Amino acid sequence: YSNPVLEIEEALLSDRPTFYYAQDSRVLRFQNLSGSAVVSVFDINGKAVYEEEVSTQTEALSLEKLKHGVYMVSLRAEESAEVKKILVN
């Protein structure tokens, strides 16, 4: 069984800017950036501890300077936003 609505939604989501955290190297890696976006990192109390604008030329962003702990990372692009929780140790 194939659902055309789900196929369209999956196609739209696959083109959305996203990121993942490589814990072993303490690096954020980006995919599908098409223009500029803003990366913000917040500590567990909601305080902004890091912010940087990234673009299509940006493949990765080092988070080596962050102390050990739990953080929320936000990637805000023109028409989308994504937030993920990461563990820095």
Side-chain angles (χ1 to χ4, degrees):
Y1 174 73
S2 177
N3 186 334
V5 173
L6 291 177
E7 291 173 9
I8 292 171
E9 288 178 6
E10 288 174 3
L12 291 174
L13 290 176
S14 67
D15 291 340
R16 207 174 79 186
T18 188
F19 67 93
Y20 65 93
Y21 178 63
Q23 190 168 1
D24 57 339
S25 58
R26 296 177 85 172
V27 169
L28 286 177
R29 299 209 180 273
F30 304 98
Q31 295 176 330
N32 301 325
L33 288 178
S34 60
S36 64
V38 176
V39 175
S40 302
V41 180
F42 302 91
D43 66 14
I44 198 70
N45 297 316
K47 178 183 174 188
V49 295
Y50 185 84
E51 186 167 283
E52 185 168 330
E53 186 169 337
V54 295
S55 67
T56 55
Q57 289 80 24
T58 309
E59 293 180 8
L61 187 66
S62 174
L63 298 180
E64 289 181 350
K65 295 182 180 183
L66 293 180
K67 296 178 182 178
H68 297 275
V70 176
Y71 295 89
M72 299 300 289
V73 179
S74 166
L75 176 65
R76 294 184 319 271
E78 288 181 18
E79 296 184 17
S80 67
E82 182 173 10
V83 178
K84 293 182 182 178
K85 181 169 55 172
I86 65 168
L87 175 64
V88 175
N89 57 13

